Amino acid sequence: MRTFINREISKKLKLNVIRKESLSVYAFGAKQAKEQSCNVVRLKLENRDEPSLHIEIEALETEQISATTLPVPETNISKTFNKLKGLQLAYRVKNKDKNISILIGVDYYYEIVSGRLKRLNDKLVATETIFGWCLQGYIGLTNDLLSLKIVVDERNISDQLQQFWKLENLGVGSESQEEHSFDADIMKEFEAGITYQDNRCKVKFPWKSNMKRLLNNNRDIASRRFSELKSNFINDPSLFSDYKKVIDEHLREGIIERIKDSDENKENTYYMPHRAVIRKDHSTTRLRIVFDASSHAKGQLSLNDCLYIGLNLIPDLLFSLLLRFRNHPVTITADIQKAFLQINIDEEDRNFIRFYWSNNPEDDNEEIYRMTRVLFGVCSSPFLLAATIKYHLKRYVEQFPMTCELLEYSLYVDDLITGREDIKYAFKTSLEAFNIFKDASMNLRKWKINSVELRDRWRKQGLEIDESNYSVNDNSAVTPCKVLGLSWDSDLDIFYFDAQNLEKFLLRRINTKRYILQVAGRIFDSLGILGPFTIKIKCMIQEIWCLGLDWDDPIPKQLTTAMNEWCEDIKDLHLINIPRYYLADAKLNEVDVVQLHCFSDASKRAYGAVVYIRVVFKNGRIISNFVASKSRVAPLKTLSMPRLELMGALLAARLNYKISKYLNFPVTQYFWTDSSIG
């Protein structure tokens, strides 16, 4: 049997046709074959978590592989079969009941399976493949025949843990793919729909084809959940007071508007539940109202189901921004005040973002409002913000070419993180950036810099400066200054790790699988400053997973001891810091040679890489600074030490490549390993 790919998927991936083949197709029960000509394309399939596990295949294009769909196993199947505990299954729940995209035939089947089997019962087995463990056979729970398919349930992993592993891939992930024609169509439709009116951009939602008319109004669920919210208001008057202040402010600023009585029962509407998110680490706007655009009745669609998420216009920008931020002697940070809420939503889409509100939580009467701006909770909002800024910057390219180019890669959502070579250019750039965003009714505020002189010049220009004192040596500074998650002392110009919140969380320590994953999810270390520390908990997580424990089962005594020792080290993490600027207190024209030294190593449990920058000045002075590090837990499948050393070297090469790409000065690169067998 040959391998097939759905023609629509092949076109979206822009796969090149390498040849044509004639095929004889025998349908079930047919006596004669049907002859047809098929395009042959080449593609690569890889393990999402371990890209080194991949296979290149050739597949025949076909209009449809099968008219039926193959249901994936239930999310709790690991509890049904104990032998599946601790195994990485390989399916995605969001692909449930979708048409088959690729059918792998016997021409490649034995290249993707390892040969390891686990018999679950007399009719069902688990097969290990390069993509994870897959189920084959008959499962009586659904009365369906399961063929080879990739089945992983990410819902069993907390969102915080997913974020923890995503951070580990920053700077060493594969290069982003070229924009597909499908993405180009979304961007083209966005640009056709955006307008500029009264110093504000107006955009339309990126609707999926014909989905708007299928959207149910969701009114009953929104009303029920607002009744629950009113009960919370009655029990917590301070919450209601803060919530009402935000609603009243939104009403004054035109961010929301009340629905007229004559329009209450209008068709083609959608009602959103909403709730408060309290952000204790924010010095301003501590309460934010977030809408649930994923809410829906059973068997109905949600608003998010009907919208495209849109393009990711900031791929891998978190890591590159931090590297660029360390290039400049003079640094600038600011943020766009209520960035999402500065963009208007087109009138024809506003009835799909309705919600209930009441100025008296004890009153049964509820008023209907709707948003007029881009809002939190809609899946396409990050895309709409990034695309709007990108569109707005094009209007100023000729007037402010250098600043617009800098802003293109210096914004992460609503945060501006950049720098310049001296005070003069930093001042010029900051004023131009302020005026560019002002013309779109976006206020750049909370300006912060590592220069007292520029801070005074900003103050004279009327810019809103962040006057808070964030110092690693100042115990009164309860909330540290964060730059993309890293604590930054602008006076000493250093990055450090603030462990206050983590220490508070550990006060209620319960050594269970769930709790340890929550602890890991609270560590944000995108540059790998804490690499030797975090690799320990990653190894513990692997051990815990292999034990097949339920979420709230206590971990064994041996792991409890290791966890307690790990927690004891947390109190000293604040002592770890690195210079923000690579060249310390020197200027680039004083430099003679800049070198990158990349070290890699491996053991049976883990492998990793670390990069340092070494600077030789013209006066003979030499300094070295930490740049970044990455570490990985060794796979459960036993690998030889030479293979692990090679994996460490590959990690080092990828990390070094990304770092050198974002340095603004030439460097000589060195790679070091103590391996004599790799």
Side-chain angles (χ1 to χ4, degrees), residues 183-236:
D183 293 335
D185 290 342
I186 294 177
M187 196 66 191
K188 186 177 180 180
E189 188 174 339
F190 167 82
E191 292 182 345
I194 188 171
T195 57
Y196 187 75
Q197 181 181 343
D198 299 328
N199 278 18
R200 202 179 294 277
C201 293
K202 183 191 294 184
V203 300
K204 296 180 179 180
F205 283 136
W207 292 95
K208 295 178 181 178
S209 179
N210 298 321
M211 295 295 276
K212 186 185 293 189
R213 62 184 179 82
L214 299 177
L215 183 59
N216 185 269
N217 63 33
N218 200 47
R219 192 165 185 166
D220 292 340
I221 289 181
S223 178
R224 175 173 54 80
R225 285 178 56 179
F226 183 63
S227 296
E228 296 171 358
L229 183 60
K230 287 196 295 184
S231 298
N232 293 336
F233 288 157
I234 294 171
N235 295 328
D236 188 352

Side-chain angles (χ1 to χ4, degrees), residues 268-287:
N268 288 336
T269 60
Y270 179 81
Y271 288 77
M272 303 175 296
H274 51 94
R275 63 185 178 89
V277 172
I278 309 297
R279 302 172 299 169
K280 296 181 180 179
D281 60 333
H282 281 234
S283 57
T284 58
T285 322
R286 289 179 180 265
L287 187 146

Side-chain angles (χ1 to χ4, degrees), residues 452-463:
V452 176
E453 178 187 343
L454 185 52
R455 197 175 301 147
D456 293 338
R457 294 174 70 175
W458 278 346
R459 195 176 285 110
K460 291 177 182 178
Q461 291 293 325
L463 271 64

Side-chain angles (χ1 to χ4, degrees), residues 157-358:
I157 306 173
S158 71
D159 290 340
Q160 286 183 325
L161 185 64
Q162 289 185 53
Q163 180 66 18
F164 178 72
W165 295 119
K166 283 179 183 177
L167 283 174
E168 292 302 302
N169 204 42
L170 285 177
V172 291
S174 57
E175 290 292 313
S176 58
Q177 299 296 315
E178 288 185 11
E179 184 181 280
H180 300 315
S181 59
F182 179 69
D183 293 335
D185 290 342
I186 294 177
M187 196 66 191
K188 186 177 180 180
E189 188 174 339
F190 167 82
E191 292 182 345
I194 188 171
T195 57
Y196 187 75
Q197 181 181 343
D198 299 328
N199 278 18
R200 202 179 294 277
C201 293
K202 183 191 294 184
V203 300
K204 296 180 179 180
F205 283 136
W207 292 95
K208 295 178 181 178
S209 179
N210 298 321
M211 295 295 276
K212 186 185 293 189
R213 62 184 179 82
L214 299 177
L215 183 59
N216 185 269
N217 63 33
N218 200 47
R219 192 165 185 166
D220 292 340
I221 289 181
S223 178
R224 175 173 54 80
R225 285 178 56 179
F226 183 63
S227 296
E228 296 171 358
L229 183 60
K230 287 196 295 184
S231 298
N232 293 336
F233 288 157
I234 294 171
N235 295 328
D236 188 352
S238 63
L239 173 63
F240 173 69
S241 176
D242 292 341
Y243 214 104
K244 187 176 183 300
K245 286 178 182 177
V246 176
I247 292 289
D248 291 343
E249 180 184 332
H250 284 359
L251 196 57
R252 285 194 304 272
E253 296 179 2
I255 295 171
I256 62 174
E257 58 188 13
R258 192 180 184 280
I259 297 293
K260 298 177 183 178
D261 294 340
S262 58
D263 292 334
E264 281 193 12
N265 297 316
K266 189 173 181 179
E267 294 183 359
N268 288 336
T269 60
Y270 179 81
Y271 288 77
M272 303 175 296
H274 51 94
R275 63 185 178 89
V277 172
I278 309 297
R279 302 172 299 169
K280 296 181 180 179
D281 60 333
H282 281 234
S283 57
T284 58
T285 322
R286 289 179 180 265
L287 187 146
R288 172 183 288 174
I289 297 176
V290 177
F291 294 88
D292 183 3
S294 294
S295 171
H296 63 91
K298 187 175 181 180
Q300 299 294 333
L301 296 170
S302 70
L303 176 60
N304 281 344
D305 289 330
C306 299
L307 298 176
Y308 289 117
I309 295 176
L311 290 73
N312 179 12
L313 297 177
I314 49 175
D316 200 28
L317 197 54
L318 179 65
F319 190 74
S320 64
L321 264 178
L322 285 171
L323 294 177
R324 286 191 176 107
F325 187 63
R326 301 183 66 189
N327 276 329
H328 308 286
V330 182
T331 57
I332 304 168
T333 66
D335 73 57
I336 305 171
Q337 184 177 13
K338 301 176 183 176
F340 289 97
L341 299 177
Q342 307 312 317
I343 305 172
N344 279 334
I345 288 292
D346 194 87
E347 286 81 1
E348 69 179 40
D349 286 340
R350 292 181 184 178
N351 278 322
F352 295 96
I353 43 179
R354 292 185 173 194
F355 65 96
Y356 287 107
W357 176 250
S358 174

Side-chain angles (χ1 to χ4, degrees), residues 76-85 120-121 124 135 139 141:
N76 62 350
I77 194 161
S78 294
K79 294 183 178 179
T80 306
F81 300 103
N82 290 328
K83 290 183 180 180
L84 291 178
K85 288 186 176 180
L120 307 181
N121 57 32
L124 187 66
L135 303 184
I139 181 167
L141 294 174

Side-chain angles (χ1 to χ4, degrees), residues 447-505:
W447 292 86
K448 195 162 187 67
I449 198 167
N450 59 340
S451 165
V452 176
E453 178 187 343
L454 185 52
R455 197 175 301 147
D456 293 338
R457 294 174 70 175
W458 278 346
R459 195 176 285 110
K460 291 177 182 178
Q461 291 293 325
L463 271 64
E464 183 183 336
I465 300 170
D466 186 351
E467 301 282 7
S468 304
N469 180 23
Y470 304 109
S471 175
V472 67
N473 295 323
D474 183 8
N475 294 328
S476 66
V478 179
T479 305
C481 174
K482 294 291 182 73
V483 177
L484 298 179
L486 288 180
S487 299
W488 176 45
D489 185 330
S490 59
D491 292 334
L492 298 176
D493 208 9
I494 60 171
F495 286 135
Y496 66 98
F497 186 79
D498 175 61
Q500 294 181 63
N501 291 332
L502 186 57
E503 288 182 282
K504 289 179 183 177
F505 186 74

